[in-house]
Amino acid sequence: MSTDRAEAGRHDFALRPSRPPAPVDHANEDLPIPLETRVEMYRLQQELRQFEKRAYDLFMQNLVKGTSHLSLGQEAVAAGVAAAIRPDDYTFATYRGHAHTLARGVGMGPVMAELLGREDGLLGGKGGSMHLTSVEHGMMGSYAIVGAHLCIANGAAWSAQIRGTDQVAVAFFGDGTTNIGAFHEALNFAVVWKLPVIFVCENNLYMEYTPSDFVTAVPHPAADRAPAYGLEAVLVDGNDADAVYEAARKAVELARSGGGPSLIEAMTYRHGGHSRADPGKYRPDGEVDAWLERDPIPMYHQRLLRLGVAEGQLTEIQQEVAQRVDDATEYAKASAPPGDAALMTDVWADGGSAWRN
Amino acid sequence: MAELNYREAVAHGIAQEMRRDPLLVMLGEDIADAGGVFKTTVGLLDEFGPERVRDTPISEQAIIGAAAGAAMTGIPTIAEIMFSDFIAVCFDMIVNEVAKARYMTGGQISVPMVIRTANGGGSRFGAQHSQSVENWCMMIPGLKVVAPSTPVDVIGLLAASIRDPDPVVFFEHKSLFATKGEVPDGEIVDTLGTAAVVRQGTDCTIVALALMVPRALEAADRLAEEGISAEVIDVRTLVPLDTETLLGSVVKTGRLYTVEENPRLCGWGAEITSIVAEEVFWDLDGPIVRITTPHIPLPSAEALEDLAIPSADRVHDTVVKTMG
Ligand SMILES: Cc1ncc(C[n+]2csc(CCOP(=O)(O)OP(=O)(O)O)c2C)c(N)n1
Ligand SMILES: [Mg+2]
């Protein structure tokens, strides 16, 4: 951290140097990605965007209780990785996990109902926004203690190694997470055991409210640490689904062929605040606008048009997704709160919670 | 029938289960080539190979995390934490990740893993390598907690823990490693949640765990010579807790003593005391008495450590004084 940065704006967020996005790399258009994969990534980004906008509205209406951490603006990371893995692969997310859950094909209805604390929620109302999980989709959980799930993803990768499958495990996490011990333990462990695991850092520049570069020894919190573990430093544009897809595809290929782990740092930005109704006022003037300009979705829309996809097809996708978000909202609202009996179930494998006879 | 010591019983129990279940694996620091710093895993690498018995870096979070991730994706695991004091380093993994996984996912995730760890004092190792921390784990919903006192119980309860679909923290007592016991031939599988009445008596109930069990028995022998008939119960598993056996004994004798190696506050005996007070108060003939390590970190010097941890003498003297 340079002194001038520390001095600039320590007490005045607006004076902090703004960190604008890199310009779009149009060469990514020429990556050999099948058009149907690209359309799929577009559809996924639409789903994540429209779903989370609705989730935000429902939060503001006090229907989503507790907290929620949205990935608005970060959709290209979830979509790009999801398109590069197989249905039997494992993913592990953080509390900012709505997008990563939906991207595995989990139904919007149960996810929305979980956010509303309803009995038809994905977790029966037991987990809420921060713990979305769908084992049948390989979505092995959303974890809200920073860093822990990187270690757990190692275990899923180890299990694939033992069972002799070529499944991979992916762990998503933020820039701030690179400063907790579990991150470093997980990386070293994965490398020495040569595990088929992919660590994907979504660098959205901020922890909760503090820019991570204020408290991080290196400019690129993940990529700059990679060489310390003998890994290649991989830095990609996290607002370009094609760039993310390509990096993920290479990492998956390496992991499946026994080549061990990868660490990807994807540069992105959250359009909103950290959580709940945080307005994100700690961000310097102009920074948010610059990143809104680099919104991953309109950019990708234009790219698909240039690649020959008809406007009508994209409109149809948008409308179809909008309908599904409406349906999910209705489904969630119509679902009852969990019954009292649910309180005492599922502590143990026998379904109960007894600790004595 | 063979005579094994407690230390050998650990490897015996693990080997029994690894032969039964070809998917079962274990990991930890110095467990493979070195056979464990307490020599509790000697021979396992040779029999089961480096894929199933794996040395790890000094990364307790990575160890528990890997064991958990494997367990939730179909590979049952045994993770060793060298000294139980180090549980503090990976407490998040155990408390927030492993223990809560099933409940917070609406029952979707199972974590069939065993965390084995060397617990307790008597080795003059000082404050950071000696504490009895079973009470740390007892207070966590979602964890089962086991602490055997004999070689045969080590094998049977370890087998039961490994076969249990829920996470179990298995405390091996450092000061019991050298103790010997008869072990029957063939497969040994015990049942979690069962306490054992290890000595029958009629005047008072002494409830103990792990290293405190032989001390309670020694005290009971001397009490018998002095005309006090003490029943001694080895709790064996704190979660699930066999309250039936405990309450039954207290109803019979009318007096309860707990002998705990953990420091005083929120020790496991406090929970048993409260259950007894709530449920069989009118069967009591006198106050419940807890005999514990004082509420201090453990000292290193022999003279001080021996003073801190309940001894047979202290148990005997306390009973004599309070039985009147
Ligand atoms: C161990 C731990 N410390 C602190 C927190 C509180 N916390 C929740 S999210 C967060 C910021 C994490 O930042 P980053 O890793 O960049 O992820 P992002 O939220 O930006 O996706 C913090 C500090 C926590 N959940 N866990
Ligand atoms: Mg961040």
Side-chain angles (χ1 to χ4, degrees):
Chain A
M1 182 178 76
S2 69
T3 339
D4 49 322
R5 188 184 287 146
E7 269 147 25
R10 173 137 295 198
H11 302 291
D12 186 345
F13 291 124
L15 288 181
R16 280 179 177 165
S18 160
R19 288 167 299 168
V24 182
D25 182 357
H26 290 293
N28 288 337
E29 217 163 290
D30 304 326
L31 288 169
I33 302 172
L35 198 56
E36 60 273 30
T37 304
R38 284 181 149 134
V39 171
E40 171 63 11
M41 289 193 281
Y42 179 80
R43 191 182 59 76
L44 277 172
Q45 291 180 83
Q46 280 293 340
E47 276 183 24
L48 311 184
R49 174 67 53 95
Q50 294 193 38
F51 178 94
E52 287 207 304
K53 279 188 149 172
R54 178 62 52 83
Y56 183 77
D57 293 345
L58 297 176
F59 182 85
M60 297 313 275
Q61 292 166 33
N62 201 25
L63 279 167
V64 172
K65 303 289 166 64
T67 189
S68 81
H69 303 75
L70 305 179
S71 298
L72 292 172
Q74 305 186 191
E75 296 90 344
V77 182
V81 176
I85 60 178
R86 286 194 321 231
D88 65 337
D89 289 327
Y90 299 115
T91 47
F92 294 78
T94 70
Y95 47 86
R96 197 179 301 288
H98 306 166
H100 297 300
T101 305
L102 295 171
R104 298 305 306 275
V106 180
M108 284 185 185
V111 175
M112 196 67 94
E114 187 64 29
L115 303 190
L116 268 63
R118 304 300 168 96
E119 71 178 359
D120 297 309
L122 189 61
L123 318 168
K126 292 273 192 57
S129 163
M130 296 205 283
H131 300 305
L132 298 176
T133 303
S134 182
V135 171
E136 63 164 307
H137 294 90
M139 204 303 175
M140 298 305 294
S142 306
Y143 298 80
I145 309 294
V146 160
H149 64 298
L150 280 74
C151 297
I152 303 172
N154 275 344
W158 179 32
S159 145
Q161 202 179 53
I162 293 167
R163 288 180 283 110
T165 71
D166 62 352
Q167 293 163 288
V168 305
V170 182
F172 300 94
F173 56 97
D175 40 280
T177 302
T178 64
N179 291 323
I180 201 163
F183 167 82
H184 296 274
E185 287 196 17
L187 277 171
N188 180 66
F189 193 99
V191 171
V192 294
W193 284 27
K194 236 180 175 196
L195 297 175
V197 60
I198 299 157
F199 300 107
V200 179
C201 176
E202 300 184 69
N203 184 356
N204 60 12
L205 310 183
Y206 291 84
M207 301 147 58
E208 291 191 59
Y209 312 118
T210 304
S212 53
D213 66 352
F214 261 57
V215 295
T216 305
V218 289
H220 280 292
D224 290 347
R225 263 77 172 256
Y229 297 102
L231 294 173
E232 193 189 331
V234 180
L235 190 64
V236 300
D237 181 351
N239 277 17
D240 185 332
D242 288 340
V244 174
Y245 174 87
E246 187 56 14
R249 190 191 59 76
K250 284 188 192 150
V252 167
E253 208 173 276
L254 184 73
R256 288 209 207 290
S257 62
S262 299
L263 173 60
I264 297 170
E265 178 173 332
M267 299 303 298
T268 184
Y269 201 77
R270 52 173 153 77
H271 287 174
H274 168 71
S275 65
R276 298 169 57 93
D278 165 29
K281 291 291 185 214
Y282 41 83
R283 303 188 288 191
D285 293 345
E287 188 179 275
V288 180
D289 293 339
W291 281 91
L292 284 172
E293 278 293 302
R294 270 289 272 111
D295 187 325
I297 297 179
M299 182 283 282
Y300 209 63
H301 190 112
Q302 292 308 317
R303 178 171 294 167
L304 291 188
L305 294 181
R306 277 198 303 278
L307 289 170
V309 180
E311 179 77 53
Q313 188 184 348
L314 298 180
T315 313
E316 218 170 90
I317 289 173
Q318 283 174 36
Q319 288 168 346
E320 177 255 334
V321 169
Q323 184 59 50
R324 286 171 48 212
V325 171
D326 284 344
D327 294 347
T329 308
E330 289 319 305
Y331 173 88
K333 285 181 173 171
S335 175
D340 293 357
L343 182 68
M344 300 303 284
T345 60
D346 288 333
V347 173
W348 307 123
D350 66 9
S353 56
W355 52 269
R356 61 174 285 191
N357 56 10
Chain B
M1 200 67 121
E3 193 182 62
L4 284 188
N5 64 32
Y6 187 102
R7 160 185 291 119
E8 292 160 343
V10 174
H12 186 97
I14 296 171
Q16 170 188 302
E17 293 306 297
M18 289 187 87
R19 280 178 213 128
R20 177 188 61 85
D21 183 354
L23 289 181
L24 180 63
V25 293
M26 69 177 295
L27 77 171
E29 296 160 18
D30 302 306
I31 63 158
D33 271 318
V37 295
F38 295 106
K39 300 292 171 217
T40 46
T41 53
V42 171
L44 297 177
L45 174 67
D46 288 343
E47 181 171 354
F48 301 105
E51 299 300 317
R52 297 183 65 194
V53 181
R54 284 189 91 161
D55 280 326
T56 67
I58 307 165
S59 301
E60 277 73 12
Q61 296 190 73
I63 292 169
I64 300 298
M72 65 175 71
T73 52
I75 299 293
T77 49
I78 305 173
E80 177 173 313
I81 297 298
M82 192 185 284
F83 283 78
S84 64
D85 311 69
F86 310 164
I87 280 180
V89 174
C90 51
F91 210 41
D92 166 55
M93 285 292 168
I94 299 174
V95 172
N96 286 314
E97 319 302 331
V98 169
K100 294 175 182 172
R102 185 188 303 279
Y103 189 84
M104 77 183 193
T105 62
Q108 287 187 54
I109 286 186
S110 274
V111 194
M113 67 183 278
V114 175
I115 300 168
R116 295 176 39 245
T117 187
N119 193 43
S123 307
R124 324 316 185 190
F125 287 161
Q128 296 183 337
H129 287 70
S130 303
Q131 198 175 327
S132 252
V133 304
E134 62 273 6
N135 58 327
W136 291 359
C137 293
M138 187 189 190
M139 65 185 172
I140 309 303
L143 289 184
K144 293 181 178 173
V145 183
V146 180
S149 72
T150 65
V152 68
D153 278 5
V154 165
I155 300 169
L157 291 174
L158 190 49
S161 300
I162 290 166
R163 296 180 191 198
D164 197 281
D166 290 307
V168 179
V169 185
F170 191 88
F171 289 100
E172 296 158 11
H173 202 292
K174 293 197 281 290
S175 289
L176 291 172
F177 280 137
T179 58
K180 295 190 161 99
E182 290 294 324
V183 171
D185 298 331
E187 187 180 80
I188 305 172
V189 187
D190 209 321
T191 309
L192 301 187
T194 55
V197 177
V198 289
R199 182 194 171 101
Q200 302 273 350
T202 51
D203 298 333
C204 67
T205 299
I206 305 178
V207 177
L209 185 77
L211 178 66
M212 297 299 99
V213 175
R215 295 187 181 184
L217 284 169
E218 189 190 325
D221 282 346
R222 286 166 47 197
L223 290 165
E225 287 162 18
E226 294 157 23
I228 297 176
S229 164
E231 179 142 301
V232 178
I233 296 181
D234 181 349
V235 191
R236 305 197 321 148
T237 82
L238 292 174
V239 183
L241 186 64
D242 182 2
T243 53
E244 245 170 62
T245 299
L246 297 169
L247 293 170
S249 175
V250 175
V251 167
K252 182 175 80 177
T253 65
R255 294 299 295 255
L256 171 66
Y257 295 85
T258 64
V259 189
E260 304 162 56
E261 189 179 338
N262 51 218
R264 175 94 190 177
L265 299 190
C266 302
W268 56 261
E271 187 56 52
I272 290 176
T273 298
S274 109
I275 293 168
V276 166
E278 278 183 45
E279 299 179 25
V280 295
F281 181 79
W282 301 110
D283 294 290
L284 287 170
D285 298 326
I288 299 167
V289 179
R290 290 181 60 207
I291 303 163
T292 75
T293 296
H295 207 61
I296 54 170
L298 277 179
S300 165
E302 249 172 6
L304 293 177
E305 192 182 32
D306 288 345
L307 194 61
I309 299 174
S311 60
D313 277 349
R314 176 133 67 98
V315 176
H316 167 269
D317 296 352
T318 308
V319 173
V320 168
K321 202 165 73 195
T322 52
M323 289 283 289

